Amino acid sequence: MEVRARAPGKIILAGEHAVVHGSTAVAAAIDLYTYVSLRFPTPEENDDALIYHLKDLDLEFTWPVGKIKEVLPDQGSHAASSPLSCSFEATKAIASLVEEQNIPEDKIGLAAGVSAFLWLYTSIHGYKPAKAVVTSELPLGSGLGSSAALCVALSAALLALSDSVKLDFSHQGWQVFGDSELELVNKWAFEGEKMIHGKPSGIDNTVSTYGNMIKFRSGELTRIRTNMPLKMLITNTKVGRNTKTLVAGVSERAVRHPSAMTSVFNAVDSISKEVADIIQSPVSDDLAITEKEEKLEELMEMSQGLLQCMGVSHASIENVIRTTLKYKLSTKLTGAGGGGCVLTLLPTLLSGTVVDKVIADLEACGFQCLIAGIGGRGMEISFSGSS
């Protein structure tokens, strides 16, 4: 029996950075996925190893299950139905298992994700031998929630082959967990995210688990449903950035200019609420969709202007904005800024020829372009016979 799980990436439509200062933010799932396949060896195969294969990166990690049991002696006894955090001792033990894999220096950023895999796997399945294979349509470390999508897909695949969820193994194609199972996946994925990021907000894994959209304010998450089809051109500038430094920079600016920055954060809050209202309101016809898209374009432009006020734009982001503006398209950064990814709304009536021209111009600058539907499905799984 093999299970395959997929979980979507995410974008922030409005509210990044300001959310740290009490404003509302809106995040949405995108139809670009991370896939995890998991299977246990048959008795004939007589395999006693845990294998983790990152197919896109051509990296494979192998641990004898006896070695894992020796280093993590308490992992076999926990119930998968009760997610728990990784203790300091277990974190150190897992780090030693990861270190002995000799991850190449240029890929050392992957170590935290490998640690998260080991923690999630051993917490849910103890010391069973297995092979997990990961592939992804999401660029790594670019603000599209690739680590959360990984943790959600891993948690879903692991739970699907545990006793904690009841599923129809004969169902053909993708299927969705029930609400209580989704909640369990989300909690385990959050534990994986903590292994990778330390103190994540929980937005990324929640969007990836449930799909659609989420409104977030002061630690409170509200799931919202989109009533209109939305398509975005996502441009990956390939410029790396340090999220913590950018967040600290906004906070420092707020200390230096408290009155002005309070106005900026309040304006962002209003924009996020309006974005959520537009997306949720019913659509009667194509004209109504066009009107909504025009409003969203204005709000995206206003949002970008406020992010520039916060000091989190970048020359590469401005380059994307100038390029898309030539085609009268609206663009804003998404996530931390300082590089990373940029969103451009693609209106329903926009011709494919124009989209091709925009992409050609952006790729000529060395950027990577992805087209994604916004507010789609969350985590899903499918089963196949032994293979």
Side-chain angles (χ1 to χ4, degrees), residues 36-183:
V36 171
S37 69
L38 176 73
R39 79 178 190 95
F40 299 130
T42 60
E44 296 79 49
E45 285 172 313
N46 195 26
D47 200 341
D48 67 345
L50 177 61
I51 301 165
Y52 184 52
H53 184 191
L54 302 176
K55 204 169 181 179
D56 303 325
L57 302 169
D58 198 24
L59 287 174
E60 188 169 284
F61 308 102
T62 304
W63 300 270
V65 289
K67 171 75 174 177
I68 296 172
K69 194 170 188 176
E70 185 186 308
V71 176
L72 291 165
D74 302 324
Q75 281 301 86
S77 57
H78 187 73
S81 55
S82 308
L84 79 167
S85 300
C86 189
S87 67
F88 178 67
E89 290 75 21
T91 303
K92 277 202 304 187
I94 287 170
S96 72
L97 287 169
V98 174
E99 274 165 28
E100 67 186 30
Q101 294 292 316
N102 297 319
I103 297 173
E105 196 61 43
D106 61 335
K107 303 270 196 313
I108 203 67
L110 299 170
V114 179
S115 295
F117 163 73
L118 279 170
W119 174 247
L120 292 171
Y121 185 87
T122 55
S123 295
I124 295 169
H125 283 293
Y127 313 113
K128 270 187 193 172
K131 182 171 186 178
V133 180
V134 180
T135 58
S136 188
E137 297 161 350
L138 296 164
L140 297 177
S142 58
L144 297 182
S146 58
S147 68
L150 170 67
C151 290
V152 171
L154 276 173
S155 300
L158 294 169
L159 288 165
L161 294 184
S162 77
D163 298 328
S164 298
V165 296
K166 298 283 178 283
L167 295 161
D168 178 4
F169 293 113
S170 63
H171 180 91
Q172 296 295 304
W174 296 105
Q175 62 176 303
V176 183
F177 280 4
D179 280 352
S180 60
E181 285 92 353
L182 283 171
E183 190 181 343

Side-chain angles (χ1 to χ4, degrees), residues 4 6 16 27 31 87 100 129 136 143 188 202 210 218 239 275 281 284 304:
R4 199 160 182 245
R6 71 176 186 183
E16 48 270 274
D31 59 2
S87 67
E100 67 186 30
S136 188
W188 273 117
Y210 293 100
S218 305
V239 175
V275 165
S281 61
S284 51
Q304 178 60 27

Side-chain angles (χ1 to χ4, degrees), residues 157-276:
L158 294 169
L159 288 165
L161 294 184
S162 77
D163 298 328
S164 298
V165 296
K166 298 283 178 283
L167 295 161
D168 178 4
F169 293 113
S170 63
H171 180 91
Q172 296 295 304
W174 296 105
Q175 62 176 303
V176 183
F177 280 4
D179 280 352
S180 60
E181 285 92 353
L182 283 171
E183 190 181 343
L184 186 59
V185 167
N186 197 31
K187 283 178 177 173
W188 273 117
F190 185 58
E191 293 306 330
E193 275 280 83
K194 287 191 329 202
M195 298 279 294
I196 297 170
H197 294 298
K199 290 185 179 176
S201 66
I203 296 176
D204 289 14
N205 51 281
T206 304
V207 172
S208 188
T209 301
Y210 293 100
N212 234 291
M213 300 193 185
I214 275 171
K215 197 161 67 168
F216 180 77
R217 185 168 194 259
S218 305
E220 221 172 279
L221 295 174
T222 312
R223 285 161 58 194
I224 60 177
R225 189 165 290 280
T226 174
N227 277 309
M228 62 185 288
L230 267 184
K231 242 186 177 58
M232 292 276 180
L233 174 63
I234 301 174
T235 304
N236 180 10
T237 64
K238 301 183 186 171
V239 175
R241 70 270 182 272
N242 186 316
T243 302
K244 280 181 185 166
T245 305
L246 288 157
V247 170
V250 175
S251 297
E252 285 159 16
R253 195 169 279 209
V255 170
R256 286 196 300 273
H257 313 284
S259 177
M261 288 297 278
T262 298
S263 299
V264 168
F265 298 143
N266 287 339
V268 171
D269 188 59
S270 300
I271 287 169
S272 294
K273 287 173 178 169
E274 196 175 339
V275 165

Side-chain angles (χ1 to χ4, degrees), residues 142 144 232-238 316-317 320 324 331-332 334 339-344 358-359 362-363 366-371:
S142 58
L144 297 182
M232 292 276 180
L233 174 63
I234 301 174
T235 304
N236 180 10
T237 64
K238 301 183 186 171
S316 61
I317 294 169
V320 177
T324 56
T331 297
K332 71 172 279 287
T334 182
C341 284
V342 188
L343 304 177
T344 303
V358 178
I359 289 173
L362 290 166
E363 286 179 344
F367 302 139
Q368 176 194 15
C369 294
L370 306 157
I371 292 177

